[in-house]
Every structure is written in structure tokens, then in C-alpha cells.
Amino acid sequence: MCVELLTYADLSARLDISREAARSLARRRRLPRSRSEDGKAVVSVDLSALRYTPRPRKGRRADPVDASMAKIEAIKIGAFKAEIARLEEVATAYRAVFERERERADRLAVELAQAAAETTAANAWAARLEDEVTALRSDRRPVGGIAGYAARRLGHLAASIVQADRAANTR
């Protein structure tokens, strides 16, 4: 049984409580108190016999309005987080659609360029063939010579058609 003279600050440090809790404890337990030479209150305490375990601190009772506002804010935050997650999923889906459509547009642009090149080539061949037909119709050679000339021209025309057909099939 070792009695010590402690100030409220020393007692609070030993028991790991606040100064006000130490002062309240001394009053409740009716521990002998006196004044030290410097005017501070000291308490006579037998720490081995005290057997004090501090209770968990109770927070002040929150204002019900503040508590309900905090709950509302928490619910709003949860709703906003859910909305953000949903919007991120939608954005991801739109991004996938965008990528797919961009690839499709690129393929269509290549096909369009190929079709334009084929159309230009076909128009050139058509113009050449029209020139050949016009030349055959307008050629005014003697009756006997025109038949041979026409046959040669038709042969060239048939060869041009075959060549144009082969060129179109290789593309």
C-alpha cells in the first residue's frame, strides 16, 4: 500500500484520462485532497488499491437534425457514386460502339475509294469503246473494203472488252 501525492494532471497521465475526469474521480471516491506549496491541488492516491478502468468515452449526443442531414448526405453520396458507376458503364459501352463504327467507316471509305477507282476506269473504257463504235459507224470506205475493216475493228473492240473485263475482275 503505497500512497502517492499526485496533481490532477499527474493522476490523469497515470490513468490515461483527462484532467477533468481525474478531478471527478477524486471527488467520487472521496480521495483526500490538499494544496501543494505552489498552490496546486494534490490528491493522496493508492494506485494499487484504486483499480480504475476508464469507460469508453461517450460522444456528445448529436443534434438529431445534424444526424439526419448526415444520413441524407450519405444516401446522396451513395446515389451519386452509383450514378457515376452507371454512367461509366454507359460510356464504356458507347466507346465500344464508337470504335466498331469507326472501323466500319474506315472499311467503307476504302471500299468507296476502290469503287470510285473502278468507276473511273469503267468510264474511261466506256468512252474508248464509244469512240471505237463511232469510228466504225462513221468510216466511209468503199463497200468491199469496209467489211474487212469492220471485221478488224470488231476484233479490236472484242479484245478491248475482254481486256476491260479481265482488268475489272482482278481488282
Side-chain angles (χ1 to χ4, degrees):
M1 186 161 137
C2 179
V3 176
E4 296 182 46
L5 290 174
L6 299 173
T7 63
Y8 291 130
D10 294 335
L11 181 61
S12 66
R14 291 266 185 99
L15 298 176
D16 195 27
I17 57 176
S18 70
R19 275 187 46 189
E20 292 302 315
R23 187 167 173 243
S24 177
L25 177 68
R27 259 190 270 148
R28 273 194 323 267
R29 299 276 176 102
R30 295 191 174 119
L31 298 175
R33 291 177 285 178
S34 61
R35 295 248 177 223
S36 67
E37 293 175 2
D38 57 356
K40 291 185 179 179
V42 288
V43 182
S44 299
V45 180
D46 181 8
L47 290 175
S48 62
L50 189 60
R51 290 191 215 153
Y52 174 77
T53 56
R55 286 187 253 156
R57 292 186 181 181
K58 290 183 183 177
R60 288 188 195 161
R61 285 201 144 185
D63 184 23
V65 174
D66 288 340
S68 62
M69 289 301 290
K71 287 180 185 177
I72 290 170
E73 291 297 321
I75 290 170
K76 282 183 181 179
I77 289 171
F80 288 147
K81 285 181 180 179
E83 182 67 12
I84 288 170
R86 186 188 68 79
L87 290 174
E88 285 175 347
E89 290 175 6
V90 168
T92 302
Y94 280 140
R95 176 53 104 181
V97 169
F98 170 76
E99 292 294 330
R100 188 173 59 245
E101 289 300 318
R102 189 175 81 195
E103 289 172 3
R104 184 171 158 254
D106 291 343
R107 283 194 311 269
L108 289 175
V110 168
E111 289 177 15
L112 181 64
Q114 288 175 346
E118 290 173 5
T119 302
T120 304
N123 285 339
W125 280 108
R128 185 173 171 211
L129 293 176
E130 284 179 9
D131 291 342
E132 296 275 337
V133 170
T134 304
L136 284 175
R137 285 187 181 156
S138 67
D139 199 11
R140 301 283 184 213
R141 294 198 178 193
V143 176
I146 196 153
Y149 179 72
R152 279 195 316 265
R153 293 298 288 165
L154 282 175
H156 289 301
L157 185 60
S160 296
I161 291 171
V162 168
Q163 185 180 8
D165 187 45
R166 286 182 183 158
N169 287 335
T170 60
R171 290 181 191 191

